[in-house]
Each structure stands twice: as structure tokens, then as C-alpha cells.
Amino acid sequence: QVQLVESGGGFVQPGGSLRLSCVARGSIRSIYVMSWHRQAPGQEREVIATMTNGGSTHYRDAVKGRFIISRDNAQNTAWLQMNELRPTDTAVYFCNTQMATHAALWEEYWGQGTQVTVSS
């Protein structure tokens, strides 16, 4: 069984920064993709950043140039560095992984979510 544990959310003023982390623990063989999603009140959940095992990254236009996704394959950990935060970034942020476990070639897991609030 695999669990994703997120941390790093909180309150920050506009223009500030936060760094989220996501640690995958369990019977992990290989993580193909790690990604970050967010869901604002009344909005659909949306993917904002992805990173493959080969290092390819993609970002939603709204966060390009401000957010950076990174990962450490040895630690099964992903981070989301969020800079120049805006009130519109306020949302619950979720980590997602697509991976091979010792029991299956492909499985998907979600983190529990962490609240990010950007406000004056």
C-alpha cells in the first residue's frame, strides 16, 4: 500500500512564497509521474504542474514563471516552489503520483490536500 503525505501549506501575503512537499511511502518500485493539482472554492480541480521520471515538466499558463516543480527519485519526494503568490492561487493543493508498485505495473495515488491561502 502507498500513501502520499503533503505538507507546507499555510497563509501568505500576496507576493510571498511557499514550498509544498509530497512524500510517497510504501511498496514503491518506480514513480513515472508526479504532479500537483489545485482546487479553488467552487472550481474544478485542475492540474498545475507535472514532472516525468525523465525530467520533463509542464505548467499551467497561470503559474508559468512563478511555480517550479521538482522531484527526488531516490527520496520519492516532489516539491512545488510557489513564488509571487496571488490571491487567485488560493486553493487546496493536491499531490498526485502515477507509479509502478511491487504488485502492479501502474497505480495512481493522491495526497490528502493542503490549504494555501493568499490574502492581505
Side-chain angles (χ1 to χ4, degrees), residues 4-61:
L4 271 58
V5 180
E6 301 180 31
S7 62
F11 293 86
V12 64
Q13 292 185 321
S17 298
L18 285 174
R19 188 176 188 239
L20 308 181
S21 66
C22 173
V23 181
R25 304 185 187 278
S27 301
I28 301 167
R29 185 173 183 85
S30 179
I31 297 179
Y32 305 132
V33 179
M34 301 197 80
S35 61
W36 289 95
H37 305 240
R38 69 184 182 187
Q39 186 168 17
Q43 303 294 318
E44 298 291 326
R45 186 176 299 186
E46 61 183 17
V47 59
I48 57 173
T50 66
M51 191 170 191
T52 69
N53 196 33
S56 297
T57 60
H58 293 87
Y59 297 93
R60 180 172 291 274
D61 286 344

